[in-house]
Amino acid sequence: MGGKSLSPGVLSLGALLLLFLLLAAASGGAEPPPSCEGVRKVFQLRQLGPLGGIPESPRAGVDLQVCTSKNPTCCTKKMEERYQTAAKQDIQQVLQTSSAMLKFLISRNAAAFQETFETLIRLAENYTSTLFCNAYRNMAAEATAHVQEFFTDVGLFIFGTDVSTEEFVNRFFDTLFPVVYNHVINPGLTDISLEYAECLRMARRDIEPFGNVPKKAIGQMARSLLPSRTFLQALNLGIEVINTTDHLHFSKDCSRALLRMQYCPHCQGLTLSKPCMGYCLNVIRGCLANMAEVDLHWRGYVQSMEELSSAMSGTNEIEHVLLNFHALVNEALLQARINGPELSQQVNKVCGPPVRKPTQSPGCSFDQNKDNPGVKIFSRDSEETLTSRRKEFISHLRLYRAFYGGLADQLCGNELAAADGLPCWNGEDVVRSYTHRVVGSGIKAQSANPEVKVKGTDPVISQIIDKLKHVIQLLQGKSFPKYHKWDLQQTGSGGGVDEQISGDCDDEDGCGGSGSGEVKRVLKITDCISGPPGTPMYIKVHLDCGLKLPYGKTQLS
């Protein structure tokens, strides 16, 4: 009531501009600008090249190859070439921006998982060496060298080296047998000779001094290490896929279509115009036709990653297997100790009586007090495990399962095309709407594309699809060996040395109460650690939880 309203005959500046664009569209094309000053300013702002060749006013564009028009133009052939380069750079930038979060998600987790696996290996090696230093001190120096070699092989396997889990597990127990024979089964004042040790090493698999422990270890290692190795390989392939599609090579026809869509309107002075949605979809779907072929296999990749992640838990979890390997080793040593007299007879039949040399093994040299960065990774405060980290990663990755299928729609909808209802560029003029047919995604659909001709499959994309197919097979376990021979859940025949060692660490402390001797809740390693590493309380508590042995009271050596 108190204000003044505009009369019907007075229009705002925005309404006048909209009316001008609509009238231009209705008249069949955009009128040439009175000068090329606006084009010059945008050209300069974008730093597309020197300004000297830009016309002061529109001229005939007879030398133009893509941005042709019957009207005078502000473009020269040199400008068209600069625009061509800019159009390709623009789409590359948009593609890289759209995939940046996905790439960061995968690369960050690939680095985090690799670091965690490295820490787990170091911690498991520490646990196993600590077992020898405290329970079997007189053979610790020899044994820890074999422990170190074993966990080096574990790391090589997880990070992609072509080594066999069965081979390096067997090699560990083969090399351990002469040491155990020398110090536990048939100890003497001096060590056995190198030749006699070699005979024992060769005979270990026939004599079986460690019972079924090596077979159990082979099964556990294969079932935990191979999925973890495959998970890492898949993460690295995901990064490779994104890097490949981020730097896709565009065909000549696509490049010309991008130029026509993004910069040809500048030649008519329409520096603010945007392409029609349908027109944009046809151009981008044509240019990304090969990339769209990745969609089906990318979805399979994400689903297979999710399935493998769900399966990597419980007793097959690498965290569980590695951090309880010392318990298996202790079981093997106890079995050899108890069956010592029988094993000595078997050894005498195969290798003869022991031949000794005038030397003696040194004591333990393993530094238990060195800082171990692994403890803080699995600290009680962080409440973080491999399982929870994988779940979090997969929940985020799942959001990108349709990334490649909807990329063209995302780019046009969020970045490139004009909003619905506004006048837009159709490749020739500013119009009210795009009238050509809009094709679907993928190579086959492009046969009817009016804007871009797609000739065939890009060999680089074909190669990345083949890699995705292969890793999907690995993720689905089709290349995993099956270990139905041994039931790793059994605890023996009910007595004797096959029965797992019991102890007094209860469930409330985070350890299994089933008498299996294994840390059942594979999290928070510090739940079973008390005191600084290397102190008596540290050794007693963490070995009590892991091995169920009251160290400090009954040492076996």
Side-chain angles (χ1 to χ4, degrees):
M1 294 288 293
K4 294 182 180 180
S5 62
L6 290 173
S7 65
V10 180
L11 295 176
S12 68
L13 182 61
L16 283 171
L17 178 61
L18 180 60
L19 181 61
F20 170 76
L21 289 172
L22 288 172
L23 288 173
S27 65
E31 291 295 327
S35 78
C36 297
E37 185 60 29
V39 177
R40 176 188 292 269
K41 287 181 179 179
V42 174
F43 200 86
Q44 182 180 25
L45 185 65
R46 293 292 312 275
Q47 298 180 336
L48 300 180
L51 303 177
I54 300 178
E56 295 290 337
S57 59
R59 53 179 278 281
V62 292
D63 55 347
L64 301 182
Q65 295 183 357
V66 179
C67 299
T68 56
S69 173
K70 54 191 175 184
N71 295 324
T73 176
C74 285
C75 286
T76 64
K77 185 177 181 181
K78 203 69 178 174
M79 289 175 64
E80 190 180 51
E81 291 172 359
R82 299 279 185 175
Y83 282 143
Q84 176 77 86
T85 302
K88 286 195 286 187
Q89 290 175 345
D90 288 350
I91 195 68
Q92 290 277 12
Q93 182 63 46
V94 169
L95 283 173
Q96 291 171 23
T97 301
S98 66
S99 66
M101 289 303 295
L102 173 59
K103 184 176 179 179
F104 176 72
L105 171 69
I106 298 177
S107 57
R108 181 190 62 182
N109 277 278
F113 281 115
Q114 178 165 329
E115 183 181 358
T116 302
F117 289 155
E118 289 171 349
T119 300
L120 273 175
I121 293 168
R122 288 197 304 270
L123 197 56
E125 181 183 338
N126 191 326
Y127 277 21
T128 310
S129 295
T130 300
L131 163 67
F132 284 102
C133 280
N134 288 274
Y136 305 92
R137 193 174 187 82
N138 59 344
M139 64 173 174
E142 293 175 85
T144 51
H146 301 311
V147 169
Q148 184 178 21
E149 182 183 0
F150 171 78
F151 283 104
T152 298
D153 286 334
V154 169
L156 289 172
F157 179 83
I158 290 176
F159 300 125
T161 304
D162 189 17
V163 294
S164 162
T165 52
E166 182 174 359
E167 182 181 327
F168 68 69
V169 171
N170 271 325
R171 183 165 59 245
F172 171 72
F173 285 104
D174 289 346
T175 55
L176 189 62
F177 181 39
V179 183
V180 174
Y181 178 85
N182 192 35
H183 295 283
V184 176
I185 297 173
N186 192 358
L189 294 176
T190 56
D191 294 339
I192 57 176
S193 67
L194 294 176
E195 294 78 8
Y196 198 79
E198 179 63 16
C199 179
L200 291 174
R201 190 186 70 79
M202 298 291 290
R204 196 274 304 172
R205 299 182 202 188
D206 294 326
I207 296 176
E208 295 186 335
F210 306 123
N212 70 337
V213 171
K215 290 182 179 180
K216 289 168 72 173
I218 290 170
Q220 288 184 3
M221 287 292 166
R223 278 199 286 260
S224 65
L225 300 188
L226 185 54
S228 299
R229 166 189 169 121
T230 303
F231 194 78
L232 267 186
Q233 287 176 332
L235 287 172
N236 289 321
L237 178 61
I239 299 169
E240 183 182 348
V241 170
I242 298 164
N243 282 336
T244 301
T245 55
D246 272 356
H247 300 90
L248 194 65
H249 174 73
F250 294 110
S251 68
K252 183 178 180 180
D253 203 68
C254 164
S255 298
R256 292 166 68 94
L258 289 170
L259 166 61
R260 187 179 297 109
M261 182 180 81
Q262 293 179 265
Y263 287 102
C264 283
H266 289 217
C267 298
Q268 304 301 317
L270 303 170
T271 56
L272 298 178
S273 70
K274 284 191 168 188
C276 305
M277 177 61 76
Y279 175 49
C280 179
L281 288 173
N282 276 342
V283 172
I284 301 302
R285 283 176 180 173
C287 288
L288 303 187
N290 278 282
M291 198 184 295
E293 297 296 316
V294 176
D295 176 54
L296 177 65
H297 309 285
W298 181 259
R299 289 173 184 266
Y301 165 82
V302 173
Q303 181 179 344
S304 299
M305 287 282 281
E306 184 175 0
E307 290 170 355
L308 178 62
S309 178
S310 298
M312 291 167 64
S313 59
T315 55
N316 290 335
E317 167 67 74
I318 185 174
E319 188 178 350
H320 179 93
V321 170
L322 290 183
L323 296 183
N324 286 287
F325 181 71
H326 63 295
L328 272 182
V329 172
N330 189 72
E331 181 186 349
L333 297 176
L334 287 175
Q335 185 149 330
R337 180 186 179 91
I338 293 174
N339 291 334
E342 297 174 17
L343 291 174
S344 291
Q345 293 178 6
Q346 287 181 272
V347 168
N348 287 341
K349 289 179 183 178
V350 177
C351 298
V355 179
R356 298 188 176 273
K357 58 183 179 179
T359 56
Q360 191 169 5
S361 301
C364 177
S365 60
F366 171 65
D367 184 6
Q368 301 169 25
N369 293 298
K370 64 182 178 181
D371 292 335
N372 197 320
V375 174
K376 64 183 179 182
I377 285 186
F378 304 93
S379 68
R380 185 174 302 198
D381 294 335
S382 69
E383 291 292 324
E384 185 177 44
T385 63
L386 278 170
T387 301
S388 63
R389 181 177 289 174
R390 274 196 310 268
K391 284 181 179 178
E392 182 182 4
F393 165 66
I394 293 297
S395 69
H396 287 101
L397 182 65
R398 197 184 296 122
L399 302 176
Y400 293 93
R401 62 185 178 275
F403 175 74
Y404 285 103
L407 191 54
D409 299 68
Q410 177 188 332
L411 297 185
C412 288
N414 297 343
E415 301 276 347
L416 303 174
D420 289 342
L422 292 180
C424 53
W425 176 256
N426 71 351
E428 296 178 357
D429 294 312
V430 173
V431 295
R432 293 180 179 178
S433 62
Y434 183 68
T435 56
H436 291 296
R437 173 187 173 186
V438 179
V439 300
S441 299
I443 293 176
K444 289 183 180 179
Q446 303 316 305
S447 59
N449 194 324
E451 309 298 343
V452 184
K453 293 191 185 327
V454 180
K455 294 181 179 178
T457 305
D458 185 335
V460 175
I461 293 295
S462 296
Q463 186 178 36
I464 211 72
I465 287 174
D466 287 341
K467 289 183 178 182
L468 279 171
K469 287 179 179 177
H470 176 65
V471 85
I472 286 170
Q473 283 193 322
L474 293 178
L475 289 167
Q476 291 174 347
K478 292 179 180 176
S479 299
F480 291 174
K482 306 300 179 184
Y483 290 90
H484 298 308
K485 230 170 167 182
W486 312 292
D487 180 3
L488 303 186
Q489 302 301 318
Q490 291 183 356
T491 57
S493 56
V497 293
D498 286 332
E499 188 171 343
Q500 298 280 349
I501 308 160
S502 63
D504 54 9
C505 178
D506 58 30
D507 290 342
E508 194 174 356
D509 294 323
C511 304
S514 62
S516 68
E518 297 183 9
V519 183
K520 288 298 183 184
R521 182 162 59 90
V522 191
L523 208 165
K524 304 176 269 186
I525 295 169
T526 49
D527 286 355
C528 288
I529 296 179
S530 178
T535 63
M537 180 56 71
Y538 169 92
I539 298 301
K540 182 181 185 306
V541 174
H542 103 267
L543 289 180
D544 279 354
C545 285
L547 296 176
K548 306 296 193 281
L549 283 175
Y551 288 100
K553 299 178 182 178
T554 310
Q555 287 201 348
L556 303 176
S557 59

